[in-house]
Amino acid sequence: MSPNPAQDRLQVVPRLVVGEVHRATEVVSRPGGKGMIVARGVVRLGGRAALHGFVGGPVGAQISAGCRELGIEDRHVRIAGETRVTTVLVDASSGTSTVVNEPGPEVAAGDVESLVEGLLAAVAEGDLVVCTGSLPRGVAPELYARCVGDLRGRGVRTVVDTSGAALALAVRAAPDVLKVNEQELRADAGLAGEEDDPADLDTLMRRVLDVGAGAVVVTRGADGLSYRSAAEAWDVTAPAVPVVNATGSGDLMLAGFVTALAHGEDVETALRTGAAAGAANAARLEPDLSGPDEVRELRARAVATAVPAVHR
């Protein structure tokens, strides 16, 4: 589920200077948003994916067309508003990206109910459901927490990747896996206490488990990622690559991780697959993967280190 998809418009400039006029050297426009990036990665790695969200207007039609082109099941709810556009400015001199996210359309309460009902009707035992991204206007921050609760007992695994108020609520709904970056975990999960809370990352991850989540994955950019559950704990060093554009690397990491889990791989292998997919994405201009061979090669260079597990 990704309620707030977008059409990504990526523009490359030789050097980004605030307040100056720039001339783009390359422009790419394609369906995007976190859910589309994850789903595209899953398909590139040989998995199957369906997208549930809201689309509207000509931009929404491009999102649906992108689903058909990639072989992703298009289960979006059509709405009256216009799907948003996300602008990504890539500084070619440094490889850094500046992202401007539009808030998304206004969504009616009836459309939200249609989205939830469609998701619950579509899932089958053994599925893995990823709830990812921001929420458009008109959608209560409880949406992901509600979906996690409604899916409990159906034999599916739930993964949540979001921020803001939706994250704090989702943590306490006890998803099977919570995936966040360190900044989101500290700022939005409601677990850090006061601003001067000295808790380190490992302590915060253990707090996620204490409130009910089955596992937590924290991405740390070029430093890799960390995983904690009651049974296993891993720190993973990502393979080094020349960075072209890291936008979407967290989403491709998630795509690699969940695809490996869906294929029956163990947690360590799934984490190394995720780290490899995120690195592969950072080495290209557009958020994408070439396929499983590229990821397998990088996975061999990802290092997973076991740390003491959490016992509750």
Side-chain angles (χ1 to χ4, degrees):
M1 171 186 281
S2 186
N4 205 14
Q7 182 75 6
D8 285 349
R9 185 170 178 82
L10 187 150
Q11 302 177 65
V12 181
V13 297
R15 184 169 179 267
L16 184 63
V17 181
V18 176
E20 295 292 329
V21 176
H22 298 80
R23 189 174 301 277
T25 58
E26 188 172 355
V27 178
V28 177
S29 182
R30 66 190 310 196
K34 292 177 72 67
M36 176 62 79
I37 295 172
V38 172
R40 184 163 56 226
V42 169
V43 170
R44 297 284 195 236
L45 294 174
R48 296 184 299 108
L51 275 175
H52 297 255
F54 304 107
V55 294
V59 177
Q62 294 179 59
I63 301 294
S64 292
C67 287
R68 292 191 295 271
E69 180 181 342
L70 289 165
I72 298 168
E73 290 187 54
D74 177 17
R75 297 185 176 274
H76 290 97
V77 174
R78 272 61 186 175
I79 61 173
E82 177 82 16
T83 297
R84 63 187 179 138
V85 174
T86 294
T87 301
V88 182
L89 300 173
V90 179
D91 184 332
S93 68
S94 65
T96 59
S97 301
T98 300
V99 182
V100 181
N101 287 319
E102 295 181 1
E106 187 79 29
V107 176
D111 293 329
V112 176
E113 294 307 309
S114 295
L115 177 67
V116 174
E117 291 170 4
L119 174 66
L120 296 178
V123 298
E125 185 173 353
D127 283 349
L128 200 155
V129 179
V130 176
C131 298
T132 184
S134 62
L135 303 177
R137 291 171 292 176
V139 177
E142 294 85 1
L143 177 63
Y144 289 155
R146 174 187 174 185
C147 290
V148 169
D150 288 347
L151 290 166
R152 188 167 291 115
R154 290 172 172 255
V156 304
R157 286 177 287 182
T158 53
V159 181
V160 176
D161 176 13
T162 190
S163 58
L167 172 58
L169 293 165
V171 171
R172 290 156 180 81
D176 292 298
V177 181
L178 181 76
K179 180 267 176 187
V180 288
N181 62 42
E182 184 171 355
Q183 181 181 4
E184 292 164 345
L185 181 60
R186 292 189 180 279
D188 300 331
L191 301 172
E194 303 297 328
E195 290 185 5
D196 60 352
D197 187 347
D200 59 17
L201 178 60
D202 193 70
T203 298
L204 289 176
M205 295 177 72
R206 291 168 190 267
R207 289 178 186 174
V208 172
L209 304 181
D210 288 341
V211 298
V216 56
V217 180
V218 177
T219 54
R220 297 180 282 109
D223 292 330
L225 53 94
S226 296
Y227 172 94
R228 302 290 185 270
S229 74
E232 296 182 74
W234 298 93
D235 288 336
V236 180
T237 301
V241 297
V243 175
V244 176
N245 177 21
T247 302
S249 286
D251 303 318
L252 269 304
M253 174 270 150
L254 182 55
F257 176 68
V258 298
T259 303
L261 288 181
H263 287 165
E265 301 284 4
D266 59 30
V267 169
E268 179 193 355
T269 302
L271 290 168
R272 290 193 298 109
T273 302
N281 174 78
R284 56 174 27 87
L285 179 61
E286 305 169 48
D288 208 343
L289 301 172
S290 66
D293 290 344
E294 173 188 35
V295 172
R296 274 194 294 268
E297 179 181 347
L298 287 170
R299 184 175 66 189
R301 294 161 43 197
V303 179
T305 302
V307 297
V310 179
H311 296 287
R312 292 186 298 207

